[in-house]
Amino acid sequence: LLPTATPSPAPTATPEGITGEVHVFYGDYAELVSFSLPSLEVSPGEPLPLTLYWRALDGRSPMNYLVFTHLLSQDEQTMVAQHDGAPAGGRRPFDTWTPGETIVDLHPMAFKDVGYRGPAKIAVGLYDPATGRALTTTGADRVILPVMLLVQ
């Protein structure tokens, strides 16, 4: 029986920033457990550091996917910022994960639309540059994190 996505509680503010849980599964090899951000208010003047927390599951990934992180306008029509890359800056490709291990994965999203101001959402997913996006166990090709940011 494959695990499925579970409802996510609202993110919480801590002295270190904003954290939230997501629990999104990619096959039997990876679970996106949670995320953290320094603040809900961001400026296009510098990269937005998003940290993802992955849990390695018992299965093996079919390939070494790249992670995409997109900051999208509220209507999801404009990509405001993005960062794509291998987990942990390339230091932890999927084939090195040990079941049960947590992988801390920083993605400094660079702003593409420095003129955008307003509410924004974050989309996260996995992809292979040659074949396209990996699907979650629910069939989605990305997850929208349960947080709304304000670009100002």
Side-chain angles (χ1 to χ4, degrees):
L1 179 68
L2 289 176
T4 58
T6 57
S8 302
T12 56
T14 67
E16 295 79 33
I18 305 301
T19 61
E21 294 182 20
V22 285
H23 301 288
V24 175
F25 294 86
Y26 288 86
D28 63 351
Y29 56 92
E31 175 189 10
L32 177 57
V33 177
S34 61
F35 66 92
S36 64
L37 294 158
S39 172
L40 291 177
E41 296 179 357
V42 299
S43 167
E46 54 190 60
L48 169 61
L50 168 66
T51 303
L52 302 173
Y53 300 88
W54 299 92
R55 184 171 62 96
L57 302 178
D58 291 334
R60 299 293 292 169
S61 174
M63 62 188 55
N64 280 320
Y65 290 108
L66 298 179
V67 178
F68 71 84
T69 57
H70 297 166
L71 184 66
L72 304 172
S73 58
Q74 185 173 14
D75 64 6
E76 301 180 21
Q77 298 301 306
T78 303
M79 186 182 334
V80 179
Q82 83 174 93
H83 183 270
D84 293 9
R91 293 182 312 279
R92 295 306 315 275
F94 283 87
D95 65 358
T96 67
W97 293 14
T98 303
E101 176 184 23
T102 298
I103 293 82
V104 179
D105 184 22
L106 175 64
H107 290 272
M109 289 188 279
F111 278 80
K112 306 294 182 195
D113 184 346
V114 294
Y116 180 82
R117 299 293 182 273
K121 303 174 179 180
I122 299 174
V124 175
L126 303 178
Y127 73 99
D128 172 50
T131 61
R133 292 184 178 179
L135 300 180
T136 67
T137 55
T138 64
D141 68 349
R142 67 180 183 173
V143 60
I144 301 292
L145 298 182
V147 64
M148 186 69 71
L149 285 84
L150 180 61
V151 180
Q152 41 185 24

